[in-house]
Amino acid sequence: MKQRGEFGLIELIKEHFPTPEGMVGIGDDCATVPTSGDDLLTTTDMLIEGVHFVRSKSSPEDVGWKSAAVNLSDIAAMGGTPVATFLSIALPRDAQGEWVERFVEGYAAISHLFGVPLLGGDTTSSLRDIAINVTVEGRCERGRAISRRGAQVGHTIFVTGALGDSGGGLKALLDGDERTPEVEYLTAKHMRPMPRLAEGRELLTTGMVGAMMDISDGIASDLGHILRASGVGAVVELSSLPISEQLATFCGARGLNKFEFATSAGEDYELLLTAPAELATQVSFPLYPIGTIVEGEGIEWQLDGEQTEFNPQGYTHF
Ligand code: ADP
Ligand code: MG
């Protein structure tokens, strides 16, 4: 079979299912469906053992936390409020006892933190690997959910927090690195991402945001989605990327390129958005400007104002 790539396959499915008028469908962080009141938001994501987590390297509580977190993050990315989650799990025999009990502890911890009930799901067996699917329903004022399509020439590109920490943490885990303070910090960021729900809501209420999404695959890939959806290009300044001291130390000690992590490693679950530059003074949390929306297509990467050859790709599944 011809390999289409992850996004080619999604395009193929989309050809069979054009989005009905008045809804947001395939291609955004959440689908939106109008109701007589608020719009209904829905998002769903899978976590597969061996692909998204390695059982011997991640605690079950952390996997539970992350399963809910990455889905709640998609609600944050539209500026919505989560209403309920649904959890489906396929478990091999050796995960049906203590592993899944501890998984549920972690899932419950983040659900309670954000006050989101779980209302259903499905439970089944698996021959070998653990598979988890979470669906989250949310709501948002009618027609106000922030899509990926509203980036405008002249907008500043912002992110809500440090980039690349999760990728550094994953590398440390897979390499079995000694648990120095920066390794502890980075692995915690990897295992316990914080969905930016309060920030997403506050950003929506400013009415100033053009396009928004959460960063799951790294800005090299994710900003590309906003650019294609909006029909614009971008200039991104590498020296403006918020990079933690911990990631800089980690990369420095190993001869790794911190910009590679900050642009391509993904799973930071910070928000990526475009808006007039003044937005930064209108919100109660830090926003980091990393570049500008321009006419054209694709991303031009700059270092200290000069175009660079650096050409990160971002993460895709196949
Ligand atoms: P995210 O990282 O925000 O969860 P994804 O990259 O998983 O987004 O998906 C991108 C878009 O494609 C989303 O709108 C998602 O709903 C849609 N999508 C992904 N896989 C499928 C599929 N198998 N069928 C229909 N839509 C899909
Ligand atoms: Mg998303």
Side-chain angles (χ1 to χ4, degrees), residues 44 77 104 160 165 167 171 180 196 198 205 208 210 224 236-237 252 260 262 270 281 291 302 305 309 316:
T44 187
V104 173
T160 52
D165 285 348
K171 177 152 179 62
T180 58
R196 300 294 182 205
T205 58
M208 292 171 72
V236 174
E237 172 56 54
E260 199 61 58
E270 296 294 346
T281 61
Q302 293 193 348
E309 292 304 299
T316 65

Side-chain angles (χ1 to χ4, degrees), residues 1 15 18 31 35 53 58 70 146 185 189 208 214:
M1 194 186 95
E15 281 168 27
T35 72
F53 65 95
S58 313
V70 303
I146 304 171
Y185 176 86
K189 293 279 299 270
M208 292 171 72
D214 66 331

Side-chain angles (χ1 to χ4, degrees), residues 6-7 9-11 13-14 17 24-31 42-46 70-71 74 77 148 213-217 222 225 269 317:
E6 178 187 352
F7 297 115
L9 175 57
I10 296 171
E11 279 304 312
I13 295 170
K14 196 173 169 177
F17 295 97
V24 174
I26 296 173
D28 227 299
D29 296 285
C30 295
T42 309
T43 182
T44 187
D45 257 311
M46 278 201 283
V70 303
N71 280 278
D74 278 319
R148 299 176 179 181
M213 67 182 296
D214 66 331
I215 304 172
S216 55
D217 296 336
D222 290 334
H225 293 307
Y269 299 101
H317 276 283

Side-chain angles (χ1 to χ4, degrees), residues 21 61 70 186:
E21 192 60 34
E61 291 88 346
V70 303
L186 298 172

